[in-house]
Amino acid sequence: MILGVHMPAGRYAPSPSGDLHVGNLRTALLAWLGARSSGRKFVLRIEDIDAQRSRPQYAAQQLADLGALGLDWDGEVLWQSTRFAAYQAALEKLPHYECYCSRRDIQEAARAPHIQPGRYPGTCRDLSPTQRAARRAELADAGRLPAIRLRATQTHWEITDALAGQHQGPVDDMVLRRGGKEPGWAYNLAVVVDDNYQGVDQVVRGADLLDSAPSQAYLYYLLGLPTPSYIHVPLVLGPTGKRLAKRDGAVTLRQLHAAGMTTAQVLGLLAASLGYDGGGGEAPAVSGVSGVSAVSGISSAQDLLADFSWERLSTEPWVWGIG
């Protein structure tokens, strides 16, 4: 078994590809409240396995923003870029095979009428040793390495989510290690190994990741590890109804500060979105949040802890910019 020091924990695990926006901060706040209110540790992880998108300066700013909101964490921050040996150890425990397909190969094969959309069609699953050697040599001549895929024996897996209830999703021969000219570890494997290592038994994250949970739960099963409890929280949407993004104006803490909002006011808005009341008042005229009622008297996330309840949280997305 791949076990770290198991103290029950919740976590937040951002990717350092940009500043955290209000939606990210809201999810982090919920993860912290969920952990602290249940007597769990709260741990942080920087998911920097994608070297092309990760920037250390963003990680530093993300940690500063979380600290500014009053979110504290236990122990040192874990960086995925230091965990490659652990991912390799997990890979060796899983049934797997090399995949030589390009993205175009997969897209073309997936057009077959018997292939479900989004599913890997199994092109490389049953190649002979001779075929594998030939395909491997072709990739090597092009300076590329094959991907490594799970040899799945299930087509679906079910999880229980505290907000969504029973949720079943498809399982296929998911990528465990990316191939190509710049190979790297896949998110589904890394998140399972690292959550287990950090003792995470409560995963709070955005509802957009709900569909990936069955695949990850299946990996927990194959590795003989306990599956954490899941709480996939509603997203924050922009005024157009799409997921909040930089296009929606001032959405990061630094942008909101520059536009005249204090950290306490941002916390008040987040608290209001979580169902807290007790005061109110209007936010200052800031692009994207003009007229949004905020909870007053909030100076730190610690002020929300004593009265936190999952039952208060709406299961509908929160629309940023609508008063």
Side-chain angles (χ1 to χ4, degrees):
M1 296 179 68
I2 306 167
L3 295 175
V5 178
H6 269 260
M7 298 286 291
R11 54 81 161 172
Y12 185 62
S15 299
S17 56
D19 284 351
L20 300 176
H21 59 59
V22 171
N24 306 135
L25 296 174
R26 183 177 187 258
T27 300
L29 177 59
L30 278 167
W32 182 87
L33 289 167
R36 293 299 191 212
S37 67
S38 59
R40 290 175 168 87
K41 295 192 305 179
F42 184 68
V43 296
L44 282 183
R45 181 170 69 245
I46 300 298
E47 297 192 332
D48 61 337
I49 53 175
D50 188 343
Q52 293 184 337
R53 298 179 65 243
S54 298
R55 298 292 183 272
Q57 66 270 26
Y58 286 128
Q61 184 61 47
Q62 289 173 349
L63 296 178
D65 287 351
L66 296 175
L69 294 181
L71 306 184
D72 60 346
W73 54 88
D74 297 289
E76 296 184 358
V77 176
L78 186 71
W79 294 73
Q80 284 191 327
S81 56
T82 69
R83 299 278 296 152
F84 292 174
Y87 307 150
Q88 181 64 40
L91 175 64
E92 292 170 0
K93 295 177 181 292
L94 294 168
H96 61 271
Y97 61 91
E98 290 183 345
C99 176
Y100 315 97
C101 297
S102 67
R103 291 184 178 179
R104 176 179 291 182
D105 293 336
I106 295 172
Q107 289 173 349
E108 291 178 352
R111 294 193 184 103
H114 63 285
I115 301 297
Q116 295 184 25
R119 301 286 295 275
Y120 177 65
T123 308
C124 296
R125 182 182 176 103
D126 297 318
L127 296 179
S128 69
T130 300
Q131 290 172 317
R132 291 191 182 282
R135 294 297 303 275
R136 193 181 301 116
E138 290 175 5
L139 286 185
D141 288 343
R144 303 173 68 87
L145 290 175
I148 304 295
R149 288 186 178 273
L150 176 73
R151 187 179 292 274
T153 59
Q154 301 290 326
T155 59
H156 291 80
W157 203 256
E158 187 172 85
I159 66 157
T160 301
D161 183 86
L163 298 180
Q166 297 300 114
H167 180 77
Q168 186 181 91
V171 171
D172 68 354
D173 291 3
M174 71 190 85
V175 172
L176 302 174
R177 193 183 72 193
R178 302 188 307 275
K181 293 186 177 180
E182 297 184 8
W185 294 101
Y187 171 78
N188 279 332
L189 177 63
V191 70
V192 167
V193 173
D194 289 339
D195 276 347
N196 178 72
Y197 177 76
Q198 292 186 284
V200 173
D201 71 342
Q202 182 188 75
V203 172
V204 178
R205 57 189 182 185
D208 56 325
L209 296 175
L210 176 62
D211 286 341
S212 67
S215 293
Q216 294 161 18
Y218 181 51
L219 289 181
Y220 277 105
Y221 166 76
L222 292 177
L223 290 168
L225 305 176
T227 304
S229 62
Y230 290 105
I231 308 175
H232 288 85
V233 299
L235 298 178
V236 177
L237 306 180
T240 63
K242 296 182 179 180
R243 186 167 62 174
L244 189 69
K246 293 180 180 179
R247 63 175 176 268
D248 296 312
V251 293
T252 70
L253 198 56
R254 281 195 288 181
Q255 290 171 335
L256 292 170
H257 286 166
M261 288 191 74
T262 66
T263 300
Q265 288 170 327
V266 175
L267 271 168
L269 290 169
L270 293 176
S273 80
L274 303 185
Y276 286 83
D277 54 25
E282 300 297 312
V286 177
S287 176
V289 297
S290 178
V292 178
S293 181
V295 177
S296 62
I298 306 297
S299 61
S300 170
Q302 301 284 344
D303 297 330
L304 302 175
L305 185 56
D307 198 30
F308 175 70
S309 170
W310 286 111
E311 286 70 27
R312 180 189 288 117
L313 180 67
S314 171
T315 57
E316 296 298 318
W318 181 46
V319 180
W320 176 256
I322 302 298

